């Protein structure tokens, strides 16, 4: 099986028992296959299933949303409030690169949304993570003075979001919603 008719690109060859076969992905929208029998067996052959794309794949969804959020004429037609909720949930549950990509999409949504589009108070768990990182100064020890990627991403998200709510005149409500009562008491005491 291959993604090219000459069987030179993305080639996958299988032979023998079904246990030797494994799932694989081919780029593009066309699959070329060739079945050759050596006549050593009288079974009916092989069966395989081809599925177009993979619904739910993180990278695919990320690329589609990123592209849609980059198109000014598309943004007004998107259910931004629902996308916002989903992405905040993804950013809270995922780790590593997937979390960074979710934060990237949140940043794009903040930049292109109106006040009614997003419940910014949903960022509270990410704000708590960010303030925890700020309090513990999570620096990459291999590069002194350089923030870890997650710390940088959250700093940018909250910087842009704070500027956005300042423009909208809702900064006080936003800050009160993100912080706990205990945190506000500590700040007042300081």
């Amino acid at each position: 099986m291959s993604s090219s008719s000459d069987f030179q690109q993305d080639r996958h060859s299988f032979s023998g028992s079904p246990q030797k076969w494994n799932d694989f992905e081919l780029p593009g929208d066309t699959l070329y296959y060739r079945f050759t029998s050596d006549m050593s067996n009288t079974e009916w052959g092989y069966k395989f299933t081809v599925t177009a794309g993979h619904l739910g794949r993180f990278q695919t969804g990320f690329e589609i949303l990123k592209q849609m959020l980059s198109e000014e004429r598309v943004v007004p037609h998107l259910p931004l409030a629902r996308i916002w909720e989903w992405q905040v949930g993804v950013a809270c549950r995922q780790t590593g690169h997937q979390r960074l990509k979710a934060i990237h999409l949140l940043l794009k949504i903040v930049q292109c949304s109106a006040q009614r589009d997003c419940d910014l108070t949903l960022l509270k768990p990410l704000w708590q993570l960010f303030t925890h990182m700020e309090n513990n100064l999570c620096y990459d020890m291999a590069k002194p003075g350089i923030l870890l990627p997650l710390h940088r991403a959250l700093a940018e998200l909250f910087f842009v979001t704070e500027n956005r709510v300042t423009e909208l005149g809702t900064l006080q409500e936003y800050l009160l919603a993100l912080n706990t009562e205990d945190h506000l008491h500590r700040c007042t005491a300081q």
Side-chain angles (χ1 to χ4, degrees), residues 3 10 25-30:
S3 62
D10 304 303
E25 294 183 22
L26 286 178
D29 59 2
T30 305

Side-chain angles (χ1 to χ4, degrees), residues 30-66:
T30 305
L31 163 77
Y32 296 91
Y33 68 95
R34 180 175 22 210
F35 178 77
T36 308
S37 174
D38 63 3
M39 303 295 213
S40 64
N41 202 332
T42 58
E43 299 295 324
W44 62 270
Y46 288 100
K47 174 182 174 183
F48 60 91
T49 303
V50 176
T51 305
H54 286 276
L55 194 61
R57 289 282 174 124
F58 188 90
Q59 186 62 32
T60 302
F62 169 76
E63 293 298 335
I64 291 169
L65 271 174
K66 184 174 80 169

Side-chain angles (χ1 to χ4, degrees), residues 6-178:
D6 63 0
F7 293 90
Q8 299 300 310
Q9 295 177 342
D10 304 303
R11 184 179 174 161
H12 297 270
S13 296
F14 301 97
S15 116
S17 67
Q19 290 77 21
K20 293 184 179 179
W21 288 58
N22 55 7
D23 289 350
F24 62 93
E25 294 183 22
L26 286 178
D29 59 2
T30 305
L31 163 77
Y32 296 91
Y33 68 95
R34 180 175 22 210
F35 178 77
T36 308
S37 174
D38 63 3
M39 303 295 213
S40 64
N41 202 332
T42 58
E43 299 295 324
W44 62 270
Y46 288 100
K47 174 182 174 183
F48 60 91
T49 303
V50 176
T51 305
H54 286 276
L55 194 61
R57 289 282 174 124
F58 188 90
Q59 186 62 32
T60 302
F62 169 76
E63 293 298 335
I64 291 169
L65 271 174
K66 184 174 80 169
Q67 185 61 40
M68 291 173 75
L69 291 169
S70 298
E71 298 287 333
E72 287 183 32
R73 66 182 194 278
V74 173
V75 171
H77 304 287
L78 295 175
L80 287 180
R82 290 188 67 195
I83 294 171
W84 176 261
E85 287 178 44
W86 293 332
Q87 289 306 307
V88 170
V90 169
C92 290
R93 286 187 308 273
Q94 295 295 337
T95 58
H97 292 298
Q98 290 181 338
R99 176 180 271 173
L100 291 173
K101 288 179 179 183
I103 292 169
H104 175 80
L105 292 175
L106 289 172
L107 188 57
K108 287 183 93 46
I109 294 169
V110 167
Q111 292 169 329
C112 69
S113 68
Q115 181 177 9
R116 62 172 176 73
D117 290 330
C118 305
D119 180 359
L120 298 175
T121 62
L122 293 176
L123 292 173
K124 188 171 187 167
L126 293 175
W127 175 254
Q128 291 170 340
L129 174 62
F130 176 67
T131 56
H132 176 76
M133 293 178 92
E134 284 283 301
N135 292 337
N136 292 326
L137 297 174
C138 291
Y139 290 100
D140 183 347
M141 297 319 233
K143 300 173 187 164
I146 304 294
L147 291 176
L148 293 171
L150 176 59
H151 198 159
R152 284 194 318 267
L154 288 171
E156 184 177 7
L157 174 64
F158 287 111
F159 178 75
V160 170
T161 303
E162 187 176 320
N163 285 338
R164 184 79 174 115
V165 295
T166 301
E167 290 170 9
L168 299 170
T170 58
L171 179 63
Q172 185 173 355
E173 294 86 0
Y174 166 73
L175 292 176
L176 286 172
L178 289 186

